[in-house]
């Protein structure tokens, strides 16, 4: 495909602007007359609002206005919603409590917004926000999901008795119970998946602009998903009709899931702009981000895994309680259900699986998708259980996995998914070889000579990306279809603009999408522009999350390219008086196969627009649109091996080696794929070693800054050893699977398995801080 | 209100601001140089790093009035004559950035680090010296590679002479 096409390590087209300070993020936007919004937020985890007095704030210097939830409600602005309907096993619908963009009667977590102050400067807005007097009557709060279900727990929403949102199940309970009753061995494990904060480096921001002249709204926002933001704000929140609302997500400084959702601030700033007649910009400070960005994970599970006498898995039974926080965020309900429990078969042939999932309200920030979204929780549970099983059964963890791998495809799991392709043993073998698995015993012995405890751990993950056929997700409760759109516009001079509904916030789409076109047409990559992130430019889109941009977004581009190429061939055949089926496109030319007749690409493009000599009846122009609806998920998989040394004196863990062997199907740009894996590994290792959101019993967030929430820094991480064993995905035209989440999914169990191996104590929870490791290493067990 | 006079990227600038105005806000909002970012409120993340009189500083930790009289270089002033600085070029070549938000601060820290160590940089030193800059995208793997590569590029002559 040439040096710039699919498979090439092309340096990124977008880098120059970021490296020279010319990136344009939402907080960089300045428009005439712009003012600054500052939110007044609840200091209490749970309280009744007795009164809000904004009069003093309105009199402060520089203040344009102060607005509260009663005004917002009176103007008919709707409540935030969860867009994926899940039903309990008794058939009842999930219990969605009201989430007002500005709380009116009750606040339900620290950070819940109650008012906004708009002023000439941010400092003046902040000063005036201090003058807003809110009279709260504190209510008892509950933080842990397990506690929220206990009798007598504080009730958070009247709609959800006992704080239970839904009690859902998947799989065959009777079959799993029967297999467990008849099993030779049953392994029982309790698994906690710690709560995390996504922490994109760019804090969330929004700029709401109401143009009274045109009765039109513009919303700049830090979104992974501008089209969905427009759809939801118009269809459900009554902010503006869709044709009068333009959403622009310009350069976005990382998302990791946290910027998929619609938050109160976009809604309130747009409404406030109309109310006050000035553009209103709000940018979160980092503490606001910790308080109000949707958190990730927070599962508590009980697991039973059954084995026969030959160490083959016969059943898996899982009981999970998932904390969804104070309100149901946009995708929260699908994360611990269809994105989690459907992955519980992992890479293994398990005849019977049953999972029961209860989701619960607590007085904490809403919890939603974070890098991997359900898949990391499933993999952590399964791979910690496999490791525990190997130890209890007394066989090698590699052999236990090898014995249970799925080996023929397609493979239907007992929990909905149908795996289309894979070679799990290839990744396992590659990882073991790269990690010198067989040489570990000698390294452990050498470390013990230095009084260090060395451990090794592996994890074999699978994920489901590129979700999914719209009809299938619709039948499972999704509120939208999960296709993607693309438009390929060939200009009269032969340069190409690709409009995509995918959104790039670090993934390098401006390069990889252009590589696809360059490879297909043989034109230089610099002659191709990728347009995204603006609902006025791109008609439709579903954004970027769940590693869908390659498998779904680029497949849409490939389909649009099919149409463009077909039309270009018709024009070329007409001009060269050849048969259309004899035209081939190569190296920027359209050629008549078997002859020396050629036309440069730009001449065919020009002919399409001069329209002086087109086939009879053909419309002028060379511009095509396609929607691509995937026919299946894609199934990236791999094996990660981590080797650690634990200092028994301090409990400090040092990662001495981290090996990742991944199967991502076909790869567009290996350099970018490796970068995605590195980033995912860092977030997964962060979860296992350092990170955790902590509230105190009253619901105050203790980890509300980078002083308290331990972000992985360069010195906490090793360099990584990557390899790829790629089986092409059969269900999309590019054969790609997706790579964005793999690192975050596969790495936590590998690291925890390594640490527990080193210290000889399996009772350790993430994050494995030195204190916890030190205590576990000393505990008799 | 206080008067601030600075040289920024070689250009003399002055302006009035509130005493509490941080240098980063003066740079971003008064001068419109938005390459310098704000990623936290506790001086932890390093997205705001600029050079003040040739040394890297966190511009969110210095008042604009404190910086008065000094010479400040921001990311916008690093590339000369349209050519990327060797550190910028190395970040591109080694894919040391993804979303780009931490990148300006990361590059400014790296330039100062390379200048201070006179070519004597190894992976461990680079990782330790990046302690004040957080990246959420890259896992640091390629940032470390980029800094070491730029270090070799910038000190290649001196290193060869020493050998």
């Amino acid at each position: 495909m040439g040096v710039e096409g699919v498979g090439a390590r092309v340096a990124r087209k977008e880098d120059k602007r970021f490296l020279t300070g010319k990136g344009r993020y939402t907080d960089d936007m300045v428009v005439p007359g712009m003012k600054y919004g500052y939110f007044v937020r609840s200091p209490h985890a749970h309280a009744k609002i007795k009164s809000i007095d904004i009069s003093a704030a309105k009199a402060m210097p520089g203040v344009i206005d102060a607005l509260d939830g009663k005004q917002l409600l009176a103007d008919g602005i709707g409540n935030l919603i969860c867009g994926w309907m899940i039903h309990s096993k008794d058939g009842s619908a999930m219990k969605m409590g009201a989430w007002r963009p500005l709380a009116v009667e009750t606040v339900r977590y620290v950070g819940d917004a109650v008012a906004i102050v708009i002023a000439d400067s941010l400092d003046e807005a902040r000063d005036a926000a201090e003058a807003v007097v809110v009279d709260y009557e504190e209510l008892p709060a509950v933080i842990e999901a397990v506690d929220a279900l206990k009798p007598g727990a504080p009730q958070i929403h009247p709609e959800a008795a006992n704080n239970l949102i839904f009690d859902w199940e998947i799989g065959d309970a009777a079959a799993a119970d029967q297999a467990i009753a008849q099993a030779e061995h049953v392994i029982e494990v309790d698994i906690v998946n710690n709560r995390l904060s996504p922490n994109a480096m760019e804090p969330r921001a929004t700029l709401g602009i109401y143009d009274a002249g045109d009765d039109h709204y513009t919303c700049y926002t830090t979104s992974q998903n501008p089209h969905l933001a427009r759809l939801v704000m118009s269809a459900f929140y009554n902010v503006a009709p869709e044709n009068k609302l333009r959403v622009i997500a310009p350069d976005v400084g990382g998302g990791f899931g946290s910027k998929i959702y619609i938050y109160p601030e976009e809604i309130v700033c747009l409404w406030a702009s109309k109310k006050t007649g000035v553009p209103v910009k709000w940018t979160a400070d980092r503490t606001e981000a910790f308080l109000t960005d949707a958190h990730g994970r927070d599962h508590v599970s009980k697991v039973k895994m059954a084995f026969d006498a030959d160490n083959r898995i016969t059943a898996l039974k899982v009981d999970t309680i998932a904390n969804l926080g104070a309100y149901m965020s946009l995708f929260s309900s699908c994360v611990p259900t269809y994105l989690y429990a459907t992955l519980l078969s992992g890479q293994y042939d398990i005849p019977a699986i049953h999972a029961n999932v209860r989701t619960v309200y607590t007085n904490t920030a809403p919890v939603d998708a974070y890098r991997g979204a359900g898949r990391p929780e499933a993999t952590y549970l399964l791979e910690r259980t496999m490791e525990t099983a190997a130890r209890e059964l007394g066989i090698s963890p590699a052999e236990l996995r090898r014995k249970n791998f799925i080996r023929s495809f397609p493979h239907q799991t007992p929990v909905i998914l149908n795996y289309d392709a894979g070679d799990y043993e290839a990744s396992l073998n590659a990882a073991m070889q790269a990690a010198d698995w067989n040489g570990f015993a000698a390294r452990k012995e050498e470390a013990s000579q230095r009084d260090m405890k060395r451990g090794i751990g592996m994890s074999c993950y699978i994920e489901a990306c590129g979700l999914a056929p719209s009809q299938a997700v619709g039948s499972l409760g999704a509120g939208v279809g999960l296709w993607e759109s693309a438009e390929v516009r060939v200009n009269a001079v032969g340069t190409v603009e690709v409009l995509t509904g995918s959104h790039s916030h670090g993934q390098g789409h401006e390069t990889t999408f252009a590589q696809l076109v360059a490879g297909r047409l043989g034109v230089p990559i610099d002659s191709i522009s990728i347009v995204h992130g603006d609902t006025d430019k791109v008609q439709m889109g579903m954004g970027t999350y769940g590693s869908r941009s390659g498998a779904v977004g680029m497949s849409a581009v490939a389909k649009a390219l099919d149409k463009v190429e077909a039309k270009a061939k018709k024009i070329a055949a007409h001009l060269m008086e050849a048969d259309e089926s004899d035209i081939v496109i190569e190296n920027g030319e359209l050629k008549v196969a078997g002859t020396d007749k050629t036309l440069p690409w730009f001449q065919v493009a020009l002919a399409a627009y001069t329209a002086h000599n087109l086939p009879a009846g053909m419309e002028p122009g060379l511009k095509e649109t396609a929607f691509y609806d995937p026919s299946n998920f894609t199934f990236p998989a791999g094996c990660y091996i981590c080797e650690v040394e634990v200092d028994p004196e301090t409990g400090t863990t040092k990662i001495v080696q981290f090996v990742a062997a991944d199967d991502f199907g076909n790869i567009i740009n290996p350099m970018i794929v490796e970068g995605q894996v590195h980033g995912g590994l860092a977030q997964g290792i962060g979860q296992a070693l350092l990170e955790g959101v902590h509230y105190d019993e009253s619901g105050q967030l203790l980890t509300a800054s980078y002083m308290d929430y331990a972000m992985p820094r360069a010195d906490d991480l090793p360099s990584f050893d990557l390899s790829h064993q790629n089986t092409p995905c059969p269900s999309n035209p590019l054969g790609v699977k997706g790579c964005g989440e793999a690192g975050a999914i596969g790495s936590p169990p590998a690291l925890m398995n390594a640490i527990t191996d080193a210290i000889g104590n399996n009772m350790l929870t993430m994050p494995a801080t030195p204190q916890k490791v030190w205590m576990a290493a000393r505990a008799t067990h | 209100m206080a008067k601030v006079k600075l040289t920024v990227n070689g250009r003399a600038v002055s302006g009035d601001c509130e005493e509490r105005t941080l240098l980063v806000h003066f740079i971003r909002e008064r001068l419109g140089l938005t390459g310098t970012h704000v990623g936290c409120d506790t001086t932890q993340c390093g997205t705001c790093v600029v050079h003040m009189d040739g040394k890297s500083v966190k511009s969110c930790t210095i008042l604009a009035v404190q910086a008065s009289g000094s010479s400040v270089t921001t990311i916008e002033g690093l590339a000369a004559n349209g050519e990327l600085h060797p550190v910028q070029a190395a970040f591109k070549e080694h894919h040391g950035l993804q979303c780009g938000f931490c990148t300006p601060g990361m590059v400014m820290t790296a330039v100062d680090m390379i200048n201070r160590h006179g070519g004597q940089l190894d992976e461990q030193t680079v990782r330790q010296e990046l302690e004040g800059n957080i990246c959420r995208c890259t896992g640091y793997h390629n940032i470390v590679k980029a800094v070491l590569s730029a270090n070799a590029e910038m000190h290649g002559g001196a290193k060869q002479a020493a050998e």
Side-chain angles (χ1 to χ4, degrees):
Chain A
M1 282 291 184
V3 293
E4 294 188 323
V6 168
R9 304 177 76 89
V10 179
R12 298 201 318 172
K13 283 158 66 83
E14 50 267 77
D15 282 355
K16 188 178 175 189
R17 69 174 185 273
F18 297 132
L19 284 162
T20 56
K22 305 290 187 198
R24 288 291 170 264
Y25 302 88
T26 296
D27 186 55
D28 300 336
M29 298 300 164
V30 175
V31 294
M34 188 183 86
K35 306 296 180 187
Y36 296 82
Y38 192 87
F39 283 87
V40 179
R41 298 185 181 280
S42 169
H44 304 296
H46 199 192
K48 272 196 189 324
I49 300 172
K50 293 168 74 178
S51 65
I52 299 176
D53 183 354
I54 58 175
S55 54
K58 287 173 85 160
M60 295 280 284
V63 171
I64 310 293
D65 209 346
L67 304 168
D68 67 18
K70 280 187 179 161
Q71 293 165 281
L72 184 121
L73 204 57
D75 285 350
I77 303 296
N79 293 330
L80 287 96
I81 53 154
C82 175
W84 194 307
M85 178 58 71
I86 301 287
H87 287 78
S88 288
K89 54 195 178 192
D90 67 5
S92 61
M94 66 190 190
K95 308 294 191 290
M96 192 161 22
W99 184 6
R100 303 198 195 288
L102 294 173
V104 176
E105 299 101 1
T106 307
V107 288
R108 294 183 172 87
Y109 71 105
V110 173
D112 212 349
V114 298
I116 182 171
V117 177
I118 299 118
D120 288 333
S121 74
L122 179 58
D123 286 335
E124 287 168 328
R126 190 186 289 122
D127 289 346
E130 294 284 319
V132 173
V133 180
V134 186
D135 187 6
Y136 292 105
E137 179 188 328
E138 268 194 84
L139 299 169
V142 63
I143 308 308
E144 300 292 336
V146 174
D147 296 336
L149 284 174
K150 288 177 181 165
Q155 290 300 290
I156 299 169
H157 287 281
E159 295 86 352
N162 304 314
N163 301 313
L164 182 69
I165 302 168
F166 55 76
D167 181 354
W168 175 90
E169 67 176 350
I170 190 171
D172 187 335
D177 286 338
Q178 190 184 3
I180 288 166
Q182 293 170 350
E184 190 75 18
H185 312 281
V186 178
I187 309 300
E188 297 191 37
V189 190
D190 290 342
I191 299 282
V192 178
N193 205 296
N194 46 326
R195 186 180 182 114
L196 302 175
S197 180
N199 272 302
M201 292 314 297
E202 178 205 29
R204 284 191 300 116
T206 187
L207 167 59
I209 306 165
Y210 177 68
D211 181 334
D214 288 338
D215 187 29
H216 183 274
Y217 296 79
T218 303
C219 174
Y220 284 92
T221 183
T222 50
S223 176
Q224 301 174 220
N225 213 341
H227 290 86
L228 193 74
R230 183 176 67 156
L231 170 68
V232 173
M233 283 199 282
S234 59
F236 297 98
Y237 305 156
N238 304 323
V239 180
E242 200 165 13
N243 63 320
K244 294 186 177 184
L245 175 58
R246 176 185 188 185
V247 179
I248 304 169
D251 286 330
V252 173
F256 316 114
S258 67
K259 293 171 181 170
I260 305 173
Y261 333 113
I262 319 304
Y263 290 89
E265 292 86 1
E266 286 105 329
I267 302 166
V268 172
C269 286
L270 277 170
W271 166 73
S273 177
K274 183 173 187 185
K275 203 87 180 153
T276 58
V278 295
V280 177
K281 180 159 81 177
W282 164 81
T283 304
D285 62 31
R286 184 54 59 180
T287 289
E288 269 183 304
F290 276 109
L291 287 170
T292 66
D293 289 2
H295 293 161
R297 320 288 192 247
D298 207 347
H299 283 196
V300 178
S301 300
K302 287 193 172 297
V303 187
K304 284 184 186 176
M305 186 181 271
F307 290 86
D308 67 14
D310 191 32
N311 296 327
R312 285 184 193 280
I313 309 168
T314 57
L316 175 70
K317 199 166 161 71
V318 175
D319 184 4
T320 293
I321 302 174
N323 190 344
L324 295 193
Y327 301 101
M328 290 189 79
S329 175
L330 193 59
F331 297 122
S332 57
S333 60
C334 68
V335 177
T337 51
Y338 290 111
L339 298 183
Y340 161 73
T342 55
L343 266 297
L344 284 171
S345 197
Q347 298 188 354
Y348 311 112
D349 188 356
I350 306 179
I353 299 176
H354 179 257
N356 195 101
V357 177
R358 285 171 287 170
T359 55
V360 176
Y361 283 122
T362 61
N363 295 111
T364 61
V367 179
D368 205 318
Y370 167 57
R371 202 168 193 166
R375 283 81 56 129
E377 294 91 321
T379 294
Y380 185 71
L381 179 147
L382 205 53
E383 290 303 288
R384 287 286 292 132
T385 303
M386 287 299 280
E387 193 72 19
T388 305
R391 290 171 192 168
E392 292 190 15
L393 298 171
I395 74 166
S396 145
E399 290 318 302
L400 184 66
R401 287 172 169 90
R402 207 184 289 275
K403 182 181 279 285
N404 284 287
F405 278 152
I406 293 161
R407 290 172 185 280
S408 70
F409 298 89
H411 174 86
Q412 178 63 54
T413 72
V415 278
I416 294 183
L417 296 180
N418 191 283
Y419 300 167
D420 54 6
D423 184 348
Y424 307 139
E425 192 154 25
S427 295
L428 178 76
N429 290 340
M432 288 176 74
Q433 190 174 355
D436 184 22
W437 183 273
N438 294 332
F440 173 74
R443 297 194 295 277
K444 186 179 177 72
E445 173 57 30
E446 186 278 329
S448 74
Q449 303 291 320
R450 294 181 279 112
D451 296 327
M452 299 296 274
K453 291 176 181 288
R454 199 160 177 124
I456 195 165
M458 66 166 50
S459 144
C460 295
Y461 76 90
I462 187 164
E463 62 166 322
C465 295
L467 54 156
S470 295
Q471 190 179 3
V473 296
S475 73
L476 300 178
V480 291
L482 294 178
W483 41 261
E484 194 47 85
S485 83
E487 183 174 322
V488 175
R489 295 179 179 169
V490 182
N491 297 316
V493 292
T495 57
V496 183
E497 288 168 28
V498 176
L499 283 66
T500 171
S502 298
H503 184 275
S504 183
H505 31 281
Q507 296 92 339
H509 294 174
E510 289 167 52
T511 306
T512 50
F513 281 51
Q515 281 181 261
L516 174 62
V517 180
R520 291 274 295 257
L521 303 179
V523 298
I525 203 165
D526 278 344
S527 68
I528 303 154
S529 303
I530 308 301
V531 179
H532 69 100
D534 183 339
T535 60
D536 262 17
K537 293 181 178 169
V538 181
Q539 188 205 349
M540 285 287 174
M542 292 304 301
T544 287
Y545 48 88
S547 296
R548 70 190 300 275
S549 295
V552 188
M554 288 182 79
S555 290
V557 176
K559 278 189 67 179
L561 276 172
D562 289 344
K563 297 182 190 178
V564 164
E565 287 182 11
K567 186 167 181 182
K569 284 179 180 178
K570 280 194 172 77
I571 297 170
H574 177 73
L575 294 174
M576 292 188 282
E577 297 178 338
D579 193 286
E580 186 186 323
S581 62
D582 288 335
I583 305 290
V584 292
I585 302 178
E586 272 176 16
N587 300 322
E589 293 180 320
L590 288 90
K591 303 177 179 174
V592 183
T595 75
D596 57 359
K597 286 187 181 175
T598 69
L599 273 175
W601 170 253
F602 78 88
Q603 276 193 10
V604 176
L606 189 62
Y609 289 95
T610 59
H612 295 159
N613 184 15
L614 292 179
M618 178 183 274
E619 270 184 46
L622 195 50
K623 183 187 91 153
E624 298 288 347
T625 299
F627 282 72
Y628 174 77
D629 197 10
S631 60
N632 193 359
F633 289 88
T634 68
F635 297 98
C639 178
Y640 291 174
I641 295 176
C642 180
E643 193 165 323
V644 298
E645 274 190 12
V646 174
D647 182 344
E649 293 298 315
T650 63
T652 306
T653 299
K654 181 165 188 259
I655 299 171
V656 291
Q657 176 174 248
F658 203 107
V659 168
D662 294 292
D663 180 349
F664 297 135
N666 293 336
I667 286 177
I668 310 292
N669 184 325
M671 180 192 80
I672 286 176
V673 165
E674 287 159 15
Q676 290 283 305
V677 176
H678 296 157
L681 290 174
Q683 287 182 325
I685 291 170
Q687 171 170 26
L689 274 192
L690 300 162
E691 297 180 46
V693 170
H694 294 287
Y695 288 89
D696 75 7
E697 287 181 356
S698 72
Q700 291 297 325
L701 183 59
L702 302 176
T703 47
S705 79
Y706 286 149
M707 313 277 278
D708 316 299
Y709 186 92
M711 286 282 276
R713 293 168 190 265
D715 204 19
D716 296 313
L717 297 169
S719 288
F720 307 110
D721 179 340
L722 270 50
S723 67
H724 305 290
Q725 302 74 42
N726 298 325
T727 58
C729 175
S731 64
N732 64 60
L734 302 173
V736 302
K737 294 183 178 177
C739 62
E741 300 158 306
I745 295 170
S747 58
L751 181 47
M752 292 302 284
N753 288 343
I755 300 172
T756 52
D757 179 56
I759 63 177
N761 183 345
N762 206 39
M763 304 302 285
L764 188 66
T765 55
M766 299 188 291
T769 57
Q771 184 190 19
K772 278 158 76 177
V773 172
W774 186 85
M775 290 172 71
R778 270 156 182 72
T780 50
H781 178 59
Chain B
M1 296 293 266
K3 185 92 175 164
V4 175
K5 280 187 170 181
L6 291 167
T7 303
V8 177
N9 299 332
R11 192 167 65 89
V13 297
S14 65
D16 294 326
C17 65
E18 284 193 67
E19 285 82 354
R20 61 178 166 175
T21 301
L22 297 169
L23 178 59
V24 65
H25 291 133
F26 191 84
I27 291 170
R28 282 181 59 81
E29 308 213 347
R30 298 297 296 272
L31 306 181
L33 295 170
T34 55
T36 303
H37 295 148
V38 180
C40 73
D41 31 42
T42 51
T43 307
Q44 296 283 312
C45 78
T47 63
C48 67
V49 170
V50 299
H51 291 179
M52 205 167 102
D53 293 330
K55 291 180 180 167
S56 63
V57 295
K58 288 183 169 171
S59 60
C60 74
T61 313
I62 290 184
L63 297 167
V65 290
Q66 285 178 292
S68 199
S70 69
S71 176
V72 170
T73 305
T74 71
I75 189 71
E76 289 92 342
L78 200 59
N81 307 320
E83 288 286 312
L84 292 179
H85 183 281
V87 172
Q88 292 170 311
F91 269 66
K92 177 169 178 156
E93 185 188 344
H94 294 283
H95 190 33
L97 65 153
Q98 289 181 25
C99 79
F101 193 81
C102 78
T103 304
M106 203 62 88
V107 167
M108 298 309 281
T109 294
V111 170
D112 184 43
M113 182 196 313
I114 291 168
N115 287 342
R116 277 187 290 104
H117 284 268
Q120 303 302 306
L121 274 178
D122 55 23
E123 180 181 339
Q124 192 188 355
T125 308
V126 172
R127 286 184 181 277
Q128 284 170 352
E129 294 251 340
L130 287 176
E131 190 206 16
N133 293 71
I134 301 174
C135 172
R136 193 57 152 168
C137 294
T138 64
Y140 305 101
H141 181 109
N142 286 343
I143 291 175
V144 172
K145 264 170 67 179
V147 175
L148 288 170
S149 167
N151 178 65
E153 167 89 18
M154 289 166 68
H155 290 284
K159 202 177 168 191
Q160 276 169 11
E163 284 164 3

